[in-house]
Amino acid sequence: MTEAAEHITQLTDRAKHAQEQVQSAITKNREQLSAAVEQAQQEAEQRAEELRREAAEQKAAAAASLDEARNKWQEHVATAKIRFQERKDEHDVKRAEHNAEDAEDYASFAIDYAASAILEAESASLEALLARAEAEALASR
């Protein structure tokens, strides 16, 4: 399995985990929801810190906004298409290997960015459930 395929599998597993956490949170009481929110926030913060360190090491703009990341992705795709067309007949193995590594690095960055977004979505969903539970508790007084 390629590294990109492994990252996609990890991303899928993380999304499934987030779904399971939110589903199970629906039946929890306020204290359990509060603990789940705190744990999800800690995981999101830890992953965000890992991404910041990786970004510093790779001199990548991991802290870029979603629009910036989307623009970079679109630029990357456009550049890749242009490069592919320009080098269609090129047989330079070293250059092709370098291009493949660049594409794999970018895919890894995009997957890490998506994984961080999933953690944020999980945390936000759990916070919403907790807020709803607190609102219902106040309304029933």
Side-chain angles (χ1 to χ4, degrees):
M1 182 181 290
T2 67
E3 186 175 339
E6 288 176 22
H7 283 165
I8 291 293
T9 299
Q10 290 170 357
L11 179 60
T12 302
D13 291 346
R14 183 64 203 141
K16 181 70 175 163
H17 174 76
Q19 178 188 18
E20 291 168 356
Q21 290 296 95
V22 172
Q23 279 299 115
S24 72
I26 292 171
T27 62
K28 292 181 179 179
N29 63 35
R30 287 176 39 202
E31 290 79 22
Q32 291 169 323
L33 277 173
S34 182
V37 166
E38 186 175 327
Q39 181 180 356
Q41 287 173 336
Q42 288 175 352
E43 287 177 13
E45 288 172 14
Q46 287 173 347
R47 183 63 184 141
E49 181 59 32
E50 288 172 15
L51 285 176
R52 281 191 285 275
R53 280 195 306 270
E54 289 171 10
E57 291 169 5
Q58 298 173 2
K59 298 179 184 177
S65 69
L66 180 58
D67 287 339
E68 185 177 345
R70 184 176 27 248
N71 289 340
K72 284 183 179 183
W73 176 250
Q74 289 170 345
E75 289 173 20
H76 173 73
V77 169
T79 301
K81 285 179 182 179
I82 290 169
R83 284 183 184 165
F84 178 78
Q85 195 61 35
E86 290 173 348
R87 297 177 181 153
K88 192 174 178 181
D89 298 325
E90 202 170 286
H91 298 289
D92 185 347
V93 174
K94 287 182 183 179
R95 187 176 302 237
E97 180 65 27
H98 178 73
N99 290 341
E101 289 172 3
D102 284 350
E104 289 165 349
D105 288 347
Y106 192 81
S108 180
F109 170 79
I111 290 166
D112 286 344
Y113 192 86
S116 181
I118 288 171
L119 285 170
E120 289 297 325
E122 177 185 351
S123 177
S125 297
L126 291 171
E127 286 182 89
L129 287 169
L130 177 60
R132 175 58 59 203
E134 290 175 350
E136 290 174 359
L138 287 173
S140 68
R141 286 187 187 172

